[in-house]
Amino acid sequence: MTQFNPPISQREKEELIQIAYSSTDQWQQEAINQAKQELIKRNVTPAQQQILIDKWSKEADEYFKEETTRLEKNKTESYEVWEMAILFIFGPILFLRPFIFNSHSLFTLKSENYFLKFKQRLIILALSFISWFLYMDYTSLQTEKKRLEEIQKIDISDWKKEHGYD
């Protein structure tokens, strides 16, 4: 007889019922058999067991209904304007590290059924990346232009005379 930790005989009635009605995917067959024997030893009738199983089933049904309602509500939830502004300003950062501002990643939005937020986030991130690219390109061009202007301002006439170019 295999010993489990804690032993099957020391477990609560609810846990024994859970083990007894579980599959071999969750518990070893020997644990299931021991739980059934312990329930018989404690004089827990099949009717008492069924009452608890029905209660669990009802709780599970309520949970799934609530979850279905929540997921259905998530479909049409939208970002607030200030959230869109933050996404736009910090888009590339939030794309790489989505949990910095407690925001969801694209994959989380999709799995949580936030279809509208998913579409909004894709559009805002695309616009943000384009804006950041254009800003960086513009800044780079302006820096290069300023550098070339400074080079043009330098008087090299003394250097030309010294090296024989004049």
Side-chain angles (χ1 to χ4, degrees), residues 155-166:
D155 182 24
I156 60 169
S157 59
D158 292 340
W159 182 85
K160 284 183 178 180
K161 286 180 187 174
E162 186 177 316
H163 289 78
Y165 285 99
D166 257 348

Side-chain angles (χ1 to χ4, degrees), residues 14-23 27 29 31-37 39 49 53:
E14 289 83 11
E15 190 174 5
L16 289 173
I17 294 171
Q18 181 183 13
I19 295 169
Y21 285 89
S22 66
S23 68
W27 286 91
Q29 186 62 47
I32 294 170
N33 294 339
Q34 285 182 23
K36 288 178 181 179
Q37 291 300 320
L39 286 169
Q49 295 174 29
I53 291 171

Side-chain angles (χ1 to χ4, degrees), residues 2-17:
T2 305
Q3 287 294 326
F4 296 95
N5 191 9
I8 297 290
S9 60
Q10 294 179 1
R11 296 180 188 241
E12 297 289 324
K13 177 178 82 170
E14 289 83 11
E15 190 174 5
L16 289 173
I17 294 171

